[in-house]
Amino acid sequence: KPVPTASLPRLSQAEIRKHDQPGDVWMVVHGVVYDCSSWARFHPGGDATIMEAAGRDGTALFDLYHRWVAVDVMLAPFIKGIYDPRL
């Protein structure tokens, strides 16, 4: 079941960019910020693929490999907030 996003914190690009190192990996997919830190080492495509999107918008990369996936359901446990480009 998708997580309601209305009550989630709004996050700036500057905040998201701080999380771009192994063990501290946030990425944006379709406007939602996910903390993939604990998942990266288990990713079937390898953690290097996750690191390509660390601290930035990984929508294009995600869609390249996972277009068929319901991202709002699959990554729901990792939601940190909503990317707000106005911040």
Side-chain angles (χ1 to χ4, degrees), residues 9-74:
R10 299 316 192 230
L11 300 166
S12 69
Q13 187 173 25
E15 178 62 31
I16 295 161
R17 282 186 179 158
K18 295 177 187 176
H19 304 276
D20 65 348
Q21 301 297 314
D24 184 17
V25 180
W26 289 12
M27 72 175 65
V28 178
V29 179
H30 297 290
V32 180
V33 181
Y34 298 95
D35 180 350
C36 297
S37 303
S38 63
W39 167 246
R41 66 177 182 227
F42 300 108
H43 184 256
D47 60 349
T49 305
I50 297 291
M51 291 308 298
E52 287 182 45
R56 61 182 59 104
D57 191 329
T59 301
L61 184 62
F62 185 89
D63 286 349
L64 180 64
Y65 296 104
H66 303 296
R67 184 170 291 280
W68 54 272
V69 172
V71 64
D72 56 334
V73 175
M74 184 177 93

